[in-house]
Amino acid sequence: MSISSFLTKKFLKSLFFPSHNRGKALPKGLIRLLKKKPGYWDLPELPEIGSPLSNSGLINDAQVSISKKVNSKKCFFGVNGASGLIQSGIIAMANPGEYILMPRNVHISVIKACALQNIIPIFFDIEFSTETGHFIPITKKWFKNVFKNIDFEKKKIVGVILVNPYYQGYATDLEPLIKICHHHDLPVLVDEAHGSYFLFCENINLPKSALRSKADLVVHSLHKSLNGLTQTAVIWHNGNLIDESNLIKSINLLQTTSPNSLLLSSCEESIKDWLNEDNLNKFKKRISEAKSIFKELIKRKIPLIQTQDPLKIVLNTSAVGIDGFTADRFFYKHGLIAELPEIMTLTFCLGFSNQKNFIFLFNKLWKKLLKNTNKSHDLKTIKPPFKLVQTPEIPIGIAWRSKTYNIPLAESLGKISGDIICPYPPGIPLIVPGERIDKERIDWIETQSLYNEDLLNSYIRVLHN
Ligand SMILES: Cc1ncc(COP(=O)(O)O)c(C=O)c1O
């Protein structure tokens, strides 16, 4: 079967990204465009259009007008996902050899940018729930303690990265954390890939957006948390701690010379869609429906975990002795396609279309799952073994470029890694280049081996002594 044939495959219910739910919630402007003669709209960077970095043209106009409307100094569209713009943000913040403070659960794109530029991560640990297998949002108290444990004299820290909300929708109040960073003159980049829509929906009890919480750079994944096509993203710039010309230079460094006109139009339309009052009211209705779905499922005794993002339905499969992967396979087989299976949970993304029959289908399949699946009593997760504050022993970019050799992971104890090891779940980098492979992390992989069998038997590139 060709890829193009598969793309038209029907599923009973698509509860995954992109959030436009297979076109149902795409912005009208984009739908109109897609209905035109196929491919007609695929234009190069003509002077009238320009690019995200030009000073004139329709893209620049859109970026300027949108920034004004949301009170941001500037924004730039991106066609390489939130990943690409996070990487540009990092490069704008730090020079090679400088340090950035970041939580252990940063997206892998952060580690790759650090390896590329030899920007050295200072990781801080986060609390973890063994009941859900998820990281817990950072509190001010936790963050203050992290700062107390950092030697600012020895390390030239030039910025901080925060992730909010997490994949499953957990969010914290960012403002006090950003205030602590600003108190140290440190700019903050917030990876708000999963929370773009918070910016447009004030006063409906959603987490306060990173831009309103005074972050210096904020990256949104428009296909995850607005109605954009896959790969679309935006970076917002505020404050005076990041130099705009540096940001432009960094976006330019990583951006393709032929950004896709359809994707750029999708960036514009997906943001403008939320700035239109009628549409906003429609989306607010969707959010309120999502809250009702959650309440109704709880009423029906389905074990859900509440997070701060109403559009994520996090099913606690472990509460009934079923792991999230088994549940995922079951739901998939029956046409309900989820977004994120993990050891203890399965997360569904409601997206922005009407989910009328979701409760009925979900409830029916849940009952069937309970009836037809073997239960296990020893489902457990263990917190990944990280120290409160940890820096790779060898600068990440140097380790990444060093001569390495391959050995089985199980035999790599005590060696310095030349690789990123990113077990899934939890999908966060467990070991990065330059870190010494310690017993705790090998043991952790072994204890989680049911879900990391391939990893345990895999090879890792390590540095020569
Ligand atoms: C927290 C977080 N940040 C960034 C990204 C990257 O987003 P994108 O797929 O738009 O590149 C992801 C992707 O899963 C993510 O979960």
Side-chain angles (χ1 to χ4, degrees), residues 80-84 86 107 109 163 165 167 191 193-194 221 223-224 232-233:
N80 188 22
S83 306
I86 288 172
H107 186 248
S109 57
V163 184
Y167 212 129
D191 170 356
H194 292 274
S221 180
H223 57 104
K224 285 181 164 60
T232 56

Side-chain angles (χ1 to χ4, degrees), residues 242-260:
I242 303 272
D243 181 38
E244 185 171 312
S245 61
N246 233 352
L247 180 60
I248 291 173
K249 207 168 77 177
S250 309
I251 294 173
N252 196 18
L253 189 69
L254 300 180
Q255 173 181 276
T256 166
T257 46
S258 327
N260 183 294

Side-chain angles (χ1 to χ4, degrees), residues 338-349:
E339 168 65 25
L340 176 68
E342 297 176 273
I343 297 179
M344 315 296 267
T345 58
L346 180 61
T347 299
F348 298 83
C349 297

Side-chain angles (χ1 to χ4, degrees), residues 6-118:
F6 187 81
L7 295 187
T8 58
K9 187 177 160 69
K10 280 201 176 119
F11 300 115
L12 186 62
K13 231 160 180 15
S14 309
L15 296 149
F16 47 73
F17 297 138
S19 292
H20 59 67
N21 291 126
R22 302 203 80 188
K24 282 194 217 113
L26 275 179
K28 286 206 182 74
L30 199 70
I31 292 177
R32 269 198 299 276
L33 178 63
L34 289 170
K35 280 188 177 158
K36 297 259 153 67
K37 207 163 140 196
Y40 201 67
W41 30 256
D42 198 6
L43 290 175
E45 280 182 32
L46 299 174
E48 293 91 330
I49 307 176
S51 87
L53 298 182
S54 30
N55 291 323
S56 61
L58 293 169
I59 297 170
N60 176 63
D61 294 350
Q63 292 177 164
V64 169
S65 116
I66 286 171
S67 307
K68 267 198 196 130
K69 285 192 179 130
V70 304
N71 272 331
S72 160
K73 260 168 73 171
K74 192 78 204 268
C75 75
F76 298 94
F77 299 156
V79 296
N80 188 22
S83 306
L85 290 177
I86 288 172
Q87 294 181 326
S88 293
I90 292 171
I91 294 172
M93 218 156 47
N95 290 317
E98 292 178 337
Y99 292 79
I100 292 188
L101 182 66
M102 59 185 78
R104 238 14 267 209
N105 69 339
V106 284
H107 186 248
I108 193 162
S109 57
V110 173
I111 306 303
K112 290 179 185 170
C114 289
L116 183 74
Q117 285 290 87
N118 195 32

Side-chain angles (χ1 to χ4, degrees), residues 378-394:
D378 48 279
L379 269 179
K380 61 173 185 214
T381 49
I382 301 170
K383 184 189 171 308
F386 300 126
K387 301 202 172 82
L388 180 64
V389 176
Q390 221 167 354
T391 311
E393 252 182 69
I394 291 189

